[in-house]
Amino acid sequence: MPDPSARGANPPRPPRASLRTSVVWEVLKDALDRRVKATGRDALDVLDTGGGSGSFAVPVAQLGHRVTVVDPSPNALFALERRAAEESVADRVRGVQGDVHGLFDVVERGGYDAVLCHGVLEFVDDPAEGVSNAVAALRPGGAVSLLAAGLGGAVIARALAGHFAEARQALTDPAGRWGDADPIPRRFTAEQLTELAERAGVEVGAVHGVRVFADLVPGVLVDTEPGALDALLKLEAAAAELPAFHSVATQLHVLGEKRG
């Protein structure tokens, strides 16, 4: 039997306990639970590419899993080490400097039960190669979690801010950028992200729209109206899997398994 103390008396909170990550965290946790049952092992080997300071890696380690974080930033890896120590999971979190294009210079090919690739594909030179490497790091049947910027959310945000020309530019630009000052190099539709996953050998199980409403609701309302945050979280969760809302989400999440 696993040692309950290794996982903590209480389940970990969602990463950053925020609207930005709650939907992804819940479906990721369920996916990891399914892999535990499928493999018969209580502790999985999880790879977090571009995992930064550990907003997902540390909560995953709190579930009892071993997590390797690959990130190009030494500062982010230092913050990861500190966060892991503060949460008493330093023995289950390892940070290595690198990126998804040179992934197998620093980690083992085919050595992981789950791979997270969050906030990476927007910035890499070749998203298809990035997804392919992430999937190649998995054992057969392993879970893959892709999270990337959504095109529709950016178009709506620019339009609601009164920047109509920029909204149209994002809508027509091949990379989904609204102009030279846009900090995001690339955005995706749900179809594009799903296609990248399937071409890399992923059996897609679910697609989620993330931050469908959260970025449109005034922060003061969420902060001051009693019960507003909880109600908004429930609304986001209810809308996340509905295809009608994928086209307006700020981020898109694809969850699947590596084909055997």
Side-chain angles (χ1 to χ4, degrees), residues 3-240:
D3 179 6
S5 65
R7 297 171 184 264
N10 300 307
R13 294 171 295 174
R16 295 174 59 187
S18 75
L19 289 164
R20 293 177 177 270
T21 54
S22 59
V23 167
V24 178
W25 172 246
E26 290 303 323
V27 298
L28 176 61
K29 183 177 180 297
D30 288 345
L32 293 175
D33 288 344
R34 290 194 298 272
R35 289 306 300 160
V36 165
K37 293 177 182 178
T39 62
R41 291 184 283 109
D42 292 299
L44 302 176
D45 296 304
V46 179
L47 176 64
D48 189 352
T49 65
S53 61
S55 58
F56 279 90
V58 169
V60 168
Q62 287 179 293
L63 294 173
H65 305 305
R66 297 177 291 270
V67 187
T68 299
V69 175
V70 176
D71 196 279
S73 169
N75 290 337
L77 293 174
F78 177 78
L80 166 71
E81 182 179 355
R82 183 174 58 194
R83 176 181 285 185
E86 290 173 350
E87 297 296 335
S88 302
V89 292
D91 60 328
R92 293 195 292 276
V93 176
R94 179 174 73 102
V96 293
Q97 190 171 1
D99 59 40
V100 73
H101 283 317
L103 192 59
F104 301 115
D105 293 335
V106 293
V107 301
E108 178 186 358
R109 185 183 296 267
Y112 296 89
D113 301 292
V115 172
L116 283 58
C117 186
H118 296 172
V120 172
L121 301 179
E122 302 95 319
F123 299 96
V124 297
D125 293 334
D126 187 342
E129 181 188 356
V131 176
S132 179
N133 284 351
V135 175
L138 284 168
R139 294 166 180 151
V144 59
S145 174
L146 306 177
L147 181 67
L151 171 61
V155 173
I156 289 176
R158 300 317 290 172
L160 291 180
H163 303 300
F164 305 121
E166 291 179 350
R168 184 175 182 277
Q169 171 69 18
L171 191 60
T172 58
D173 183 76
R177 304 187 75 232
W178 49 256
D180 292 339
D182 191 339
I184 305 297
R186 185 183 295 105
R187 294 183 177 87
F188 300 87
T189 64
E191 292 77 15
Q192 289 170 336
L193 198 59
T194 299
E195 183 179 3
L196 283 175
E198 290 177 340
R199 285 186 175 181
V202 174
E203 185 70 34
V204 173
V207 180
H208 307 93
V210 180
R211 291 156 57 189
V212 174
F213 306 103
D215 291 348
L216 304 177
V217 176
V220 64
L221 173 64
V222 177
D223 294 338
T224 61
E225 186 71 20
L229 176 60
D230 185 58
L232 185 52
L233 282 168
K234 291 178 180 177
L235 177 61
E236 289 281 353

